[in-house]
Amino acid sequence: MGEHSVFSRCIMAKVTLEIIDGADRGKILTDLETPVTIGREEGNTVQLNDDRVSRFHLKIQQDHDRIVLTDLESTNGTKVNGETTHLRILRYGDMISIGRSVLRYGSREQIAQRLAGPRRAASAADDDELTRGDEGNEPPPASLEFELSWHDRPGDHATLGTLYPPELPKQLSPGQAAELSELLEYFHIRVRSLLDSVEMEDEADRVSLDFRQWQNLLDIQARLAEYLRRISEPE
C-alpha cells in the first residue's frame, strides 16, 4: 500500500501545447508527459519546423505541483508573455515564443479554470450562492467560451452564442479555398501584430491589455490557425 502511494505521487504531470503561429501553427499537442523538450531536432518531444529554433531549445518539466520552463541555452532565446526568460513557472494561458513559433500552454478547459478563479472569488464576496451549481456545493465546470464572454460589469456580458465558431464551408473549389485562406491569413497577421505589442508585468496577470481581452486575442488566433491548417490539408 505504501509503495503504491509513493508511485501515485510520482506520476508525471501531462501538459497541453497549442501552436498558434509559425510553420506548425494549428497543431494541438495534448497530454504530453513531462519532461517535454521542444526543438527542431529529431528526438525532441515536440519537433518544430523552424530554423530559428535551436536543436534542443527548451524543456518543460514538473517540480512538485509546478510546471517549469527552462531555456536550454538556445541561440535565439525564449520569451514567455513577451519577456525573455531562462527559467519560468508556467501558468495556463501563457504564451511561449521561440524563433518564429508561438505556443500557448494549457488546454481551453484549463485556461477557463484559470479565468474562472477570480470571477468566482468576486462573485462569492457578493453572493455565495452565485458560485454554487444546482446540486451540491461545487461550482459548475468552467467553459472557455463563457469565461471569455464574462465581464466585471453585468451590463457588458456578451451573448454566449457569438463565441461559438461557425463550421468551415464544405466542398470548396481550389480557388475558393485559396481565397478563404488568404482572408484568414490577413486576420491572423493582424492579430499577431497585436500580440507582439503585449508587455506583461513580472509575477502578475496584468499585461498592456486586460488579461481577459488578451486571452480573447489568443483564442481568436488559435482558432484561425486551426482553420488555416484544415484548409491546407487535402481530404
Side-chain angles (χ1 to χ4, degrees):
M1 180 66 69
E3 291 182 359
H4 178 75
S5 299
V6 171
F7 176 76
S8 298
R9 290 196 297 270
C10 293
I11 294 177
M12 291 295 97
K14 295 182 179 181
V15 302
T16 294
L17 297 168
E18 187 170 6
I19 305 175
I20 62 176
D21 206 0
D24 300 289
R25 66 186 178 192
K27 290 184 178 180
I28 302 176
L29 310 168
T30 60
D31 294 333
L32 301 175
E33 292 189 1
T34 53
V36 172
T37 60
I38 301 175
R40 71 170 193 273
E41 189 87 354
E42 291 185 9
N44 284 285
T45 312
V46 179
Q47 183 182 10
L48 296 176
N49 297 311
D50 189 334
D51 59 7
R52 297 196 64 184
V53 169
S54 294
R55 294 171 58 250
F56 293 89
H57 198 105
L58 65 84
K59 177 171 65 173
I60 298 174
Q61 61 188 332
Q62 180 183 10
D63 183 12
H64 299 287
D65 59 345
R66 298 175 179 177
I67 299 296
V68 180
L69 178 149
T70 304
D71 181 87
L72 300 176
E73 302 298 328
S74 63
T75 301
N76 294 312
T78 298
K79 291 183 178 181
V80 176
N81 302 329
E83 295 294 326
T84 301
T85 186
H86 295 284
L87 191 66
R88 177 71 174 254
I89 295 174
L90 291 178
R91 301 180 68 194
Y92 299 134
D94 280 349
M95 182 174 68
I96 305 167
S97 302
I98 57 174
R100 298 183 178 88
S101 303
V102 180
L103 301 86
R104 182 171 66 167
Y105 167 65
S107 66
R108 285 176 174 151
E109 291 76 14
Q110 290 168 333
I111 296 169
Q113 288 292 341
R114 179 181 177 183
L115 290 172
R119 172 180 62 79
R120 287 172 173 165
S123 298
D126 295 332
D127 185 353
D128 185 64
E129 292 302 317
L130 294 179
T131 65
R132 301 176 186 275
D134 294 335
E135 298 181 2
N137 296 326
E138 291 297 323
S143 158
L144 186 57
E145 283 77 12
F146 174 81
E147 296 303 331
L148 292 177
S149 73
W150 186 85
H151 298 274
D152 294 331
R153 298 186 298 273
D156 289 341
H157 285 235
T159 302
L160 292 183
T162 63
L163 285 174
Y164 287 92
E167 288 294 321
L168 285 172
K170 294 179 172 33
Q171 298 181 339
L172 293 174
S173 70
Q176 291 171 329
E179 289 174 346
L180 181 57
S181 180
E182 186 177 48
L183 178 64
L184 295 179
E185 180 73 15
Y186 167 77
F187 286 110
H188 190 270
I189 292 172
R190 291 295 301 272
V191 172
R192 181 173 63 197
S193 67
L194 290 173
L195 292 176
D196 287 342
S197 68
V198 168
E199 295 181 1
M200 188 167 186
E201 300 174 5
D202 292 338
E203 304 299 328
D205 276 350
R206 300 300 301 177
V207 293
S208 58
L209 298 175
D210 178 81
F211 182 77
R212 191 172 302 279
Q213 296 307 316
W214 182 54
Q215 289 299 324
N216 259 309
L217 291 173
L218 283 177
D219 192 69
I220 290 170
Q221 189 182 29
R223 292 189 186 279
L224 289 175
E226 290 178 26
Y227 288 167
L228 287 167
R229 175 164 288 275
R230 288 167 57 187
I231 288 173
S232 65
E233 291 177 345
E235 294 184 0

